[in-house]
Amino acid sequence: MNHPIYNFSAGPAVLPHSVLEQVQADLVNWQGSGMSVMEMSHRGPEFMGIMAEAEQDLRDLLAIPVNYKVLFLQGGATLQFAMVPLNLLRGKTKASYVQTGVWSKKAISEARRFCTVEIAASNEDRHGSYVPAQSTWQVSPDTAYVHIAGNETIGGVEYDFVPELGDIPLVSDASSHILSKPMDVSRFGLIYAGAQKNVGPAGLTLVIVREDLLGHAPAHTPTMLDYAIQAKDDSMHNTPPTFAIYVAGLVFKWLKALGGLEKMAEINARKAQRLYDLIDSSGFYRNPVEVRNRSRMNVPFTLPDPALDEAFLKGAKAHGLLQLKGHRSVGGMRASIYNAMPEAGVAALADYMAAFARSHS
Amino acid sequence: MNHPIYNFSAGPAVLPHSVLEQVQADLVNWQGSGMSVMEMSHRGPEFMGIMAEAEQDLRDLLAIPVNYKVLFLQGGATLQFAMVPLNLLRGKTKASYVQTGVWSKKAISEARRFCTVEIAASNEDRHGSYVPAQSTWQVSPDTAYVHIAGNETIGGVEYDFVPELGDIPLVSDASSHILSKPMDVSRFGLIYAGAQKNVGPAGLTLVIVREDLLGHAPAHTPTMLDYAIQAKDDSMHNTPPTFAIYVAGLVFKWLKALGGLEKMAEINARKAQRLYDLIDSSGFYRNPVEVRNRSRMNVPFTLPDPALDEAFLKGAKAHGLLQLKGHRSVGGMRASIYNAMPEAGVAALADYMAAFARSHS
């Protein structure tokens, strides 16, 4: 029996099929230019056009205000863990972090190289299964910024609110939920995202930053890690990751053609609901996250007995359902259902999960 | 008249046609996996295999000794300008740089953020037209390392010798000549190269570093900028630029199939000689670099009157010869003839140059 393949990897992750087909068609000779996009000078008119369109389409999708810069950088979210304190401390010595899982912990650990970290709130009291309500946060008035991880890829925990912090800049690691729903950019000082989940190939990092926060990096900051320099040079202080920017640009166009982020959010809500409904009604699978904070992007779940995991994964693979093994720190399974995962893929997974539960209950 | 297209861009630059065709064939569905390489988890068996092969092929090509680590990083040579002093000062306060053109000057400027820079030698006395002989270098015995730019992409100046420094580590920016000829890696402490000239797509940076130099970065170094951490995690401290590594791996296989770096060096010498012979015998074109230091990769040349530049470029484009305009800091023309530029492309350029000189003399 031949199944279509559905890839539930947490990242790098599935890309829209039509985008891949266009990349393939234009791979050797982009639009009759005689060159692959990989071969184009980043300062030539062809690539400058590709990059300008990518930025404009991203601005359109997220309705990014004019006083925000869009940067196309390298190094992944992990490099942002250092760049955020280097650039945003602005002479202060303290920054606040909300701890909600593995990725916010990594951000905290890196920030400690550069400043005193104040943990504004943590969900460790209930095994990382929720986002602490803002009313419980402790934020010192002299903190430089507050950092959150908008969606925890491993725990499957997502914010259901945007914190309101007055004049204190809010910074979000949006790697695993950017472009999955509309976002009011004006409520953030800085948003960053590794591309390899909802945007494009690994090796590209998006940064959206309010202009007044730029220009405060200390003198020993490596040039490439200074947002102000990258902003001044329009992300071309040196050669940017051109091919990844090109693919991301096609993903942005795919989102616009689909109807934009409102429409994408509707589809994503439907996909997630289908899996959580099945999990909750199964009496077999289990997801430990509070309902209001369940991630629409990463759905972790366990089977009643870890001894069943191998059979579940083997059967899934036979049904064309790939990369469902949970992160080693959590165990069980994880279905990552980013923008590019079609509803048919979620339906196929739900059908398989239901059948597996019936035959193993 | 329909000409084949030859792209003389200085970088991102031409890639081997057969590599692009293979990338295209496998773009949507890599070897029947049901996934594009862009969609693969970096920790899955498919991509781990791709990356291990890429590293082994690079090791084979350059005969990299076992006490050297190979790192696949991001950020380009410009980020290496910071990473080198951050990691290699090892408690010392001074590093030595040989200044031979625009790129070594950029490396010097960045290093000054982290240490005292000693200029061991400079070619500014003769307008950047040569590499100072090692006998003229001033290197303090307490310097942390000596940094060179093995080939200056803009000036078209290439080392014709490997400096001998005893116990002082030699560091080379090899961005524009790596893999263009054999290199005795054991004579270097560290070699780095942005990929977008001789290796693959922009967004990948190769670092080859002797193991005993690792582990000395100060505590405030961003994690992603610490070679020791990247080495310990086999370039997977976070998600590496997977697709760029895959394409680089195919380029490595193309080089092996061609006969390796000895063979590549022969071809490159022939290509460069053809252009320099034409320039020198033309009485029309001019290249100012000392013969022994003429770059085999980047051939800058001027016309007798800058007023002819536009006609030259227009005619070149009509003949399918693209991206020949020289860097704005030098003027004139520049033909970058990296590994992937076929001899037929150089022949087409030489023929066009000869005809243009005849009709404009």
Side-chain angles (χ1 to χ4, degrees), chain B residues 28-354:
Chain B
V28 174
N29 182 356
W30 182 79
Q31 299 191 6
S33 64
M35 297 181 278
S36 173
V37 172
M38 286 183 252
E39 301 177 303
M40 290 176 185
S41 168
H42 55 300
R43 298 195 193 279
E46 295 89 353
F47 184 73
M48 294 288 278
I50 288 171
M51 188 154 158
E53 268 190 54
E55 177 175 342
Q56 189 56 55
D57 286 335
L58 180 64
R59 285 187 173 275
D60 293 347
L61 282 166
L62 281 166
I64 299 175
V66 291
N67 63 324
Y68 283 72
K69 289 279 187 187
V70 171
L71 306 178
F72 295 94
L73 304 181
Q74 300 183 52
T78 307
L79 188 55
Q80 293 308 309
F81 296 166
M83 286 177 71
V84 165
L86 276 167
N87 285 270
L88 298 197
L89 282 170
R90 294 162 296 142
K92 296 183 193 276
T93 58
K94 190 194 298 179
S96 299
Y97 283 70
V98 180
Q99 183 178 311
T100 49
V102 173
W103 287 100
S104 47
K105 275 188 220 171
K106 289 191 187 205
I108 288 163
S109 161
E110 184 76 5
R112 289 205 166 112
R113 292 180 177 238
F114 309 102
C115 63
T116 301
V117 170
E118 183 176 77
I119 307 296
S122 163
N123 64 5
E124 288 208 316
D125 57 339
R126 298 211 305 274
H127 308 289
S129 62
Y130 72 108
V131 175
Q134 204 195 328
S135 58
T136 68
W137 296 10
Q138 309 269 332
V139 177
S140 301
D142 61 340
T143 199
Y145 58 86
V146 175
H147 178 282
I148 65 172
N151 179 63
E152 289 278 2
T153 319
I154 292 174
V157 173
E158 186 171 356
Y159 277 70
D160 59 328
F161 63 94
V162 177
E164 183 50 63
L165 296 158
D167 287 342
I168 303 173
L170 174 63
V171 176
S172 181
D173 177 354
S175 296
S176 49
H177 71 109
I178 195 167
L179 299 176
S180 70
K181 61 182 177 186
M183 220 173 165
D184 182 353
V185 173
S186 73
R187 298 183 63 184
F188 296 83
L190 188 147
I191 296 164
Y192 63 87
Q196 67 272 14
K197 296 164 194 296
N198 261 328
V199 174
L204 169 65
T205 312
L206 297 183
V207 172
I208 302 166
V209 56
R210 215 174 63 211
E211 282 173 351
D212 64 283
L213 297 173
L214 300 176
H216 305 283
H220 64 265
T221 307
T223 299
M224 290 291 289
L225 273 50
D226 185 334
Y227 294 130
I229 292 171
Q230 297 281 9
K232 180 177 70 65
D233 291 344
D234 292 324
S235 309
M236 289 222 191
H237 182 70
N238 71 346
T239 313
T242 50
F243 189 75
I245 292 169
Y246 154 70
V247 178
L250 294 179
V251 171
F252 301 157
K253 286 197 189 301
W254 172 79
L255 279 166
K256 286 179 96 170
L258 187 93
L261 300 189
E262 295 278 0
K263 181 71 184 173
M264 190 74 252
E266 258 178 63
I267 297 169
N268 284 330
R270 220 155 46 215
K271 291 190 300 187
Q273 200 58 50
R274 175 135 192 191
L275 292 184
Y276 287 117
D277 283 351
L278 183 141
I279 289 166
D280 290 342
S281 65
S282 68
F284 185 85
Y285 302 108
R286 189 169 169 276
N287 169 285
V289 180
E290 268 191 27
V291 169
R292 67 184 169 84
N293 294 132
R294 282 175 163 179
S295 170
R296 299 158 311 116
M297 297 285 104
N298 312 97
V299 181
F301 58 93
T302 50
L303 278 60
D305 181 351
L308 292 171
D309 286 2
E310 204 184 313
F312 180 91
L313 287 167
K314 201 177 157 194
K317 198 171 175 186
H319 284 75
L321 307 167
L322 305 185
Q323 314 230 36
L324 283 162
K325 193 173 179 176
H327 192 271
R328 60 190 180 280
S329 65
V330 175
M333 307 296 149
R334 173 174 48 169
S336 292
I337 50 173
Y338 300 118
N339 286 350
M341 172 57 63
E343 292 192 82
V346 171
L349 173 59
D351 289 347
Y352 169 70
M353 286 171 68

Side-chain angles (χ1 to χ4, degrees), chain A residues 15 24 75 110 113 221 223, chain B residues 24 39 74 110 113 221 223:
Chain A
L15 286 165
Q24 183 172 45
E110 184 76 5
R113 292 180 176 237
T221 306
T223 298
Chain B
Q24 182 172 47
E39 301 177 303
Q74 300 183 52
E110 184 76 5
R113 292 180 177 238
T221 307
T223 299

Side-chain angles (χ1 to χ4, degrees), chain A residues 45-349:
Chain A
E46 296 89 353
F47 184 75
M48 293 288 278
I50 288 171
M51 187 154 159
E53 267 190 54
E55 177 175 341
Q56 190 55 55
D57 286 334
L58 180 65
R59 285 187 174 275
D60 294 347
L61 283 166
L62 282 167
I64 299 174
V66 291
N67 63 323
Y68 284 72
K69 288 282 186 186
V70 171
L71 306 179
F72 295 94
L73 305 181
Q74 300 183 54
T78 306
L79 187 55
Q80 294 307 309
F81 296 167
M83 285 176 73
V84 165
L86 276 168
N87 286 270
L88 299 196
L89 282 170
R90 294 162 296 142
K92 296 183 192 278
T93 58
K94 192 194 296 182
S96 300
Y97 282 69
V98 180
Q99 182 178 312
T100 49
V102 173
W103 286 99
S104 46
K105 276 188 220 170
K106 289 191 188 206
I108 289 164
S109 160
E110 184 76 5
R112 289 203 167 114
R113 292 180 176 237
F114 309 102
C115 63
T116 302
V117 170
E118 184 177 76
I119 306 296
S122 164
N123 64 3
E124 288 209 317
D125 57 339
R126 299 211 304 274
H127 307 290
S129 61
Y130 72 108
V131 175
Q134 204 196 326
S135 58
T136 69
W137 295 10
Q138 310 270 332
V139 177
S140 302
D142 62 339
T143 199
Y145 58 86
V146 176
H147 179 282
I148 65 172
N151 180 65
E152 289 278 2
T153 319
I154 291 172
V157 173
E158 185 171 358
Y159 276 70
D160 59 328
F161 63 93
V162 178
E164 184 50 64
L165 296 158
D167 288 343
I168 303 173
L170 175 63
V171 176
S172 182
D173 177 354
S175 296
S176 50
H177 72 110
I178 195 166
L179 300 176
S180 71
K181 60 182 178 186
M183 222 173 164
D184 183 353
V185 172
S186 73
R187 297 180 65 185
F188 296 82
L190 188 147
I191 295 164
Y192 63 87
Q196 67 272 14
K197 297 165 195 293
N198 262 327
V199 173
L204 170 65
T205 311
L206 297 182
V207 172
I208 302 167
V209 56
R210 216 174 61 213
E211 282 172 351
D212 64 283
L213 297 173
L214 301 176
H216 306 284
H220 64 265
T221 306
T223 298
M224 290 291 289
L225 273 50
D226 185 334
Y227 294 131
I229 293 170
Q230 297 281 10
K232 180 177 70 64
D233 290 344
D234 293 323
S235 309
M236 289 221 191
H237 182 70
N238 71 346
T239 313
T242 51
F243 190 76
I245 292 170
Y246 155 70
V247 177
L250 295 179
V251 171
F252 301 156
K253 285 196 189 300
W254 172 80
L255 279 166
K256 287 179 97 170
L258 186 92
L261 300 190
E262 295 279 0
K263 182 70 183 172
M264 191 73 253
E266 259 179 61
I267 297 170
N268 283 331
R270 225 161 36 221
K271 290 189 299 187
Q273 200 57 49
R274 175 138 193 189
L275 292 184
Y276 287 118
D277 283 350
L278 183 141
I279 289 166
D280 290 342
S281 65
S282 69
F284 185 85
Y285 302 107
R286 189 170 169 277
N287 170 285
V289 180
E290 270 192 24
V291 169
R292 68 183 169 83
N293 294 130
R294 281 174 163 179
S295 169
R296 300 157 310 115
M297 296 286 103
N298 312 97
V299 181
F301 58 92
T302 50
L303 278 61
D305 180 352
L308 292 171
D309 286 1
E310 203 183 314
F312 180 91
L313 287 167
K314 200 177 157 194
K317 197 169 176 187
H319 285 74
L321 307 167
L322 306 184
Q323 314 231 34
L324 284 161
K325 192 172 181 179
H327 192 269
R328 59 189 182 279
S329 64
V330 175
M333 305 297 148
R334 173 173 49 168
S336 293
I337 50 173
Y338 299 118
N339 287 350
M341 172 57 62
E343 292 192 80
V346 172
L349 173 60

